[in-house]
Amino acid sequence: MNKVKFWVILGALFLWGCMNPLNAWGNNAPSDKQAIIDFLNLRYGMFIHYNMGTYHQEQWAYPFHDPKSFKPTHLDCKQWAKAAKSAGMKYAVLTAKHHDGFCLWNTTTSAYDIASSDYKTDIVRQYVDAFRAENIKIGLYFSVMDWHQDINKGNINTENITFMKKQLTELLTNYGEIICIVIDGWGSKWGGPTFEELPFDTLADHIHSIQPKCLVINHSCNTSLAQTEVVHYEATHGQHCPYDNVIPSQQGPTLQQAWFWEPGFEKDPLKPVDAVIKELNFANSHYSNYLLNVAPNDKGLLDENVIKQLAEIGKLVHLPDKDLEELPELRKVQMNVTVVASSEESSKYGASNVVDANLHTQWKFDKNDPEKWIELDFSRPETFNKVICGEFYQDIRKFKIEAFVKGKWTEIVKGGKMGVNFHASFPDVKAQKYRLTVIEYDNSPLLSEITFVKY
């Protein structure tokens, strides 16, 4: 793949991401209920985005950088682990391989790995040893979409499947117990192979054949357990654990401004301590873990502002005293919410798409609609103090959110640009109906999700 072809494909991925709308609720029984219960009882973990992108200021790194450009000077996984311990975290997940295909371990499958850099030393090994020394459970992130290997939508074959399985075998046989493989770039909003061309069981069965209790947690951007054992709510894309969630899940926000470190992060504001605590407590009370991402810098260290913030968070963390002993009966999210809109462009863009926790589906109003509102009816009065919403692109320039209180619509949120991940808090409001109205926009927006919660 040459450089021009890569950037063409990268630009097209965003358009392709919604072409596989797998929004059916899967009633699959979990393959290992006890493993899921044990995972949910961990409650709180550290996501660690550290890879080739760290050295090129790229959140999605170009897949043909010189391996020697990956050059930490002071890498210290023990520092990461002590910071996680200070924050009260119980498990961690490291980006062993991101979409660009660079491997942080000494793989036999590719020369695009840590062994080909000047650093040489296996970082996955250092990570697992350091975190186990702090009694923190080990998870690994693995991208199925691999641009260096040209593994992507429309290019799944026996050779590519064998390649993926060999890499997963290395990760699952050389580093001891792995509680979860968090998989990305597989039937997700931003692309990767579809589940038709690469069925979930193809890799899940392989993983379980090596480590039966290792959970396969796929970023499939929806709540179907047909494509994951634990749902991963994409917190940076406006997908939030709903107010009535009982699906085994985890939610993954970032402490810094983005997933991978970039120059200036050492001075930038971080997610506030009280916001982390509120999100953590909400997740834990709704069958969801909280996986907070931190990004080591180009030296291989966590910045001092991150170290201090994690320690402050740890002072206020109080995980539930009582362990979960069984899983609740599964049901779809926001099942009691009825949604109506001033218009729908077509059945494909129906109003109910905004409450399905599925980033592959959206609501779109008719171009001639003079009102442009969408209304959520919760069937009974519900108290909320925060709303999370997001659009597929970035077209909304002004909107408002109202609650129907004492017989009239009352504005509770005034929004400017929405983007893919808008958050707003407001004083407690108890109402049965809530409404979002689009006031100004560029192109006709595709509204993905609206989620009301109470922290």
Side-chain angles (χ1 to χ4, degrees):
M1 185 193 301
N2 61 36
K3 188 171 184 179
V4 173
K5 181 182 177 184
F6 164 71
W7 290 117
V8 170
I9 291 174
L10 181 59
L13 280 175
F14 195 70
L15 296 175
W16 288 346
C18 65
M19 299 306 290
N20 183 34
L22 295 167
N23 62 350
W25 168 249
N27 287 319
N28 297 12
S31 57
D32 190 327
K33 288 186 178 181
Q34 191 57 51
I36 293 174
I37 291 170
D38 292 344
F39 176 76
L40 291 179
N41 283 327
L42 294 174
R43 310 287 185 176
Y44 177 33
M46 176 183 279
F47 212 174
I48 306 164
H49 269 63
Y50 176 67
N51 207 289
M52 185 61 80
T54 305
Y55 295 89
H56 297 276
Q57 296 81 60
E58 295 170 345
Q59 295 301 311
W60 283 11
Y62 172 66
F64 298 102
H65 286 300
D66 184 344
K68 295 184 184 301
S69 65
F70 184 93
K71 48 184 179 182
T73 55
H74 296 80
L75 188 139
D76 186 357
C77 293
K78 293 179 181 178
Q79 184 223 33
W80 307 354
K82 290 183 183 301
K85 189 76 170 181
S86 77
M89 294 164 167
K90 304 299 182 183
Y91 71 108
V93 177
L94 171 69
T95 51
K97 184 184 78 168
H98 205 248
H99 306 323
D100 57 289
F102 186 78
C103 299
L104 295 185
W105 75 98
N106 303 332
T107 180
T108 62
T109 64
S110 169
Y112 201 54
D113 70 344
I114 194 67
S116 299
S117 74
D118 287 338
Y119 183 74
K120 305 285 185 197
T121 308
D122 188 326
I123 292 176
V124 173
R125 168 55 60 195
Q126 295 180 68
Y127 155 72
V128 300
D129 289 349
F131 278 75
R132 285 200 181 110
E134 298 293 344
N135 198 31
I136 296 173
K137 298 291 186 181
I138 301 301
L140 293 170
Y141 167 109
F142 179 87
S143 176
V144 165
M145 185 163 62
D146 184 329
W147 297 325
H148 186 84
Q149 195 67 20
D150 203 16
I151 298 175
N152 209 335
K153 181 180 179 181
N155 188 33
I156 299 303
N157 51 43
T158 301
E159 180 182 355
N160 285 339
I161 292 173
T162 299
F163 177 88
M164 289 182 265
K165 287 183 176 180
K166 284 183 178 179
Q167 289 197 331
L168 287 166
T169 298
E170 291 176 342
L171 293 173
L172 291 164
T173 57
N174 295 333
Y175 302 100
E177 181 190 20
I178 307 298
I179 64 164
C180 62
I181 295 288
V182 176
I183 291 186
D184 199 359
W186 187 10
S188 61
K189 170 186 173 181
W190 37 90
T194 69
F195 295 107
E196 286 78 14
E197 58 189 344
L198 182 63
F200 177 71
D201 289 346
T202 301
L203 297 185
D205 287 352
H206 178 70
I207 290 168
H208 293 149
S209 73
I210 304 170
Q211 294 204 27
K213 293 185 179 297
C214 179
L215 296 175
V216 184
I217 304 177
N218 187 23
H219 290 215
S220 50
C221 300
N222 64 65
T223 59
S224 172
L225 293 181
Q227 297 126 24
T228 187
E229 292 183 280
V230 173
V231 166
H232 182 92
Y233 287 117
E234 288 287 349
T236 58
H237 281 260
Q239 189 188 40
H240 191 283
C241 178
Y243 79 106
D244 62 349
N245 181 74
V246 296
I247 303 172
S249 56
Q250 72 178 3
Q251 184 157 307
T254 63
L255 185 66
Q256 295 140 301
Q257 300 299 310
W259 293 103
F260 285 103
W261 182 89
E262 296 183 12
F265 274 21
E266 68 277 9
K267 298 178 182 178
D268 283 351
L270 303 172
K271 182 184 282 289
V273 172
D274 65 331
V276 170
I277 296 300
K278 288 177 180 178
E279 291 177 7
L280 169 65
N281 291 342
F282 179 88
N284 286 175
S285 63
H286 291 79
Y287 299 95
S288 188
N289 284 7
Y290 190 71
L291 187 63
L292 181 63
N293 187 75
V294 298
N297 61 30
D298 55 357
K299 295 181 178 66
L301 297 169
L302 295 178
D303 288 326
E304 189 61 30
N305 62 342
V306 170
I307 296 289
K308 290 180 178 178
Q309 192 83 331
L310 290 175
E312 290 301 312
I313 291 167
K315 293 176 183 177
L316 299 177
V317 168
H318 181 74
L319 302 181
D321 295 321
K322 186 177 180 181
D323 278 351
L324 182 68
E325 296 181 354
E326 60 183 26
L327 297 175
E329 183 179 350
L330 292 175
R331 63 173 185 265
K332 69 178 184 179
V333 297
Q334 307 201 89
M335 64 178 299
N336 294 320
V337 183
T338 302
V339 188
V340 295
S342 54
S343 68
E344 298 173 351
E345 184 192 75
S346 66
S347 58
K348 176 182 177 181
Y349 296 112
S352 61
N353 289 340
V354 303
V355 295
D356 60 3
N358 183 351
L359 297 181
H360 297 282
T361 64
Q362 304 89 30
W363 167 64
K364 185 178 184 180
F365 52 74
D366 185 85
K367 63 181 181 180
N368 297 315
D369 183 357
E371 298 181 308
K372 304 174 184 64
W373 55 259
I374 188 165
E375 177 187 310
L376 280 60
D377 186 331
F378 287 83
S379 304
R380 65 182 185 185
E382 296 283 357
T383 301
F384 299 120
N385 58 20
K386 188 175 182 70
V387 63
I388 305 95
C389 52
E391 50 180 326
F392 194 82
Y393 299 113
Q394 299 188 49
D395 293 308
I396 296 176
R397 291 189 283 112
K398 186 177 180 181
F399 66 100
K400 65 178 179 179
I401 297 175
E402 303 164 291
F404 196 68
V405 180
K406 295 181 179 180
K408 66 177 182 179
W409 288 106
T410 302
E411 185 173 284
I412 56 175
V413 172
K414 183 180 294 184
K417 292 182 179 180
M418 181 182 291
V420 298
N421 186 31
F422 177 88
H423 288 235
S425 298
F426 48 87
D428 286 7
V429 173
K430 186 175 184 179
Q432 180 171 322
K433 297 179 180 181
Y434 295 79
R435 182 172 71 182
L436 183 150
T437 303
V438 178
I439 300 171
E440 296 178 9
Y441 61 96
D442 294 322
N443 303 303
S444 296
L446 294 173
L447 188 61
S448 296
E449 294 296 318
I450 306 173
T451 309
F452 288 92
V453 295
K454 185 181 188 306
Y455 282 169

